[in-house]
Amino acid sequence: MEDKSIINEFIIEQMMVVEEDVRFYIQQIESNERLALIASASIWSFVATQHWNNVLSIIIWIPTIIVLILSIKRIMLAKTIHAKTEYLKDVEQKMNLQNGIGWNTYWAKHKYGKWKNNKSYLKWWGRIFWITLLLANFAIACLFPFQSILK
């Protein structure tokens, strides 16, 4: 029979490592959002100060491409966070903690941060942010009359 204190120590260490990973991935998501906004604004600012030429007809698509790539990265980071928090929830449940103690178990059982059929508003915020930014960059590249303004 294994010593329960060794098992508990191992579980606590595992939980601390996974929780630190989750914090890191959340920081990466926030960093991606900032990077997408700054890159888009910077490129559009640069384009607005130039005279129209063939090179600019390519440059105007760069913000859309950057946002698309970063939104894909955001999806992968969110899936990783979900997998890690599910692991933590499983560990919490296997430890037979009383009264739903453990953040991940608590979050899953309560409606905080959730609305309409238990869907997370945090997930919807991410989707709305990236879809809006992608569509805005695409619309600017397609619809803005750069050639007539930047003569």
Side-chain angles (χ1 to χ4, degrees):
M1 183 183 221
E2 296 177 21
D3 185 14
K4 283 201 175 226
S5 65
I6 293 173
I7 293 171
N8 286 342
E9 252 182 69
F10 172 76
I11 290 171
I12 290 169
E13 284 180 33
Q14 282 277 297
M15 291 181 78
M16 289 173 62
V17 168
V18 173
E19 286 174 354
E20 189 61 36
D21 284 351
V22 168
R23 280 189 211 96
F24 172 76
Y25 288 122
I26 290 170
Q27 289 172 348
Q28 291 299 305
I29 286 174
E30 292 169 350
S31 176
N32 278 353
E33 290 173 353
R34 278 190 302 276
L35 178 60
L37 287 171
I38 291 169
S40 295
S42 299
I43 293 168
W44 291 126
S45 296
F46 169 77
V47 168
T49 63
Q50 304 300 307
H51 292 288
W52 185 256
N53 59 47
N54 290 337
V55 174
L56 283 182
S57 64
I58 295 169
I59 291 175
I60 63 173
W61 292 103
I62 292 175
T64 304
I65 293 167
I66 289 171
V67 170
L68 180 64
I69 290 168
L70 289 175
S71 67
I72 292 168
K73 183 177 179 184
R74 194 257 189 231
I75 291 167
M76 300 313 295
L77 290 169
K79 287 186 179 294
T80 303
I81 289 171
H82 180 71
K84 289 182 179 282
T85 55
E86 284 297 311
Y87 171 76
L88 289 175
K89 188 168 66 173
D90 288 346
V91 169
E92 288 171 2
Q93 289 173 352
K94 288 177 181 163
M95 290 183 70
N96 294 321
L97 300 173
Q98 296 177 0
N99 300 323
I101 294 175
W103 173 247
N104 295 290
T105 304
Y106 180 81
W107 184 264
K109 289 183 178 179
H110 291 79
K111 294 189 184 274
Y112 298 108
K114 299 182 181 185
W115 58 280
K116 290 188 181 178
N117 300 326
N118 219 20
K119 301 220 177 174
S120 172
Y121 67 78
L122 299 172
K123 181 189 291 185
W124 282 102
W125 159 247
R127 289 178 182 168
I128 290 168
F129 174 85
W130 287 103
I131 290 169
T132 302
L133 193 57
L134 185 64
L135 290 176
N137 279 296
F138 184 78
I140 292 169
C142 286
L143 304 174
F144 199 77
F146 289 110
Q147 288 177 334
S148 61
I149 294 174
L150 303 176
K151 291 182 181 181

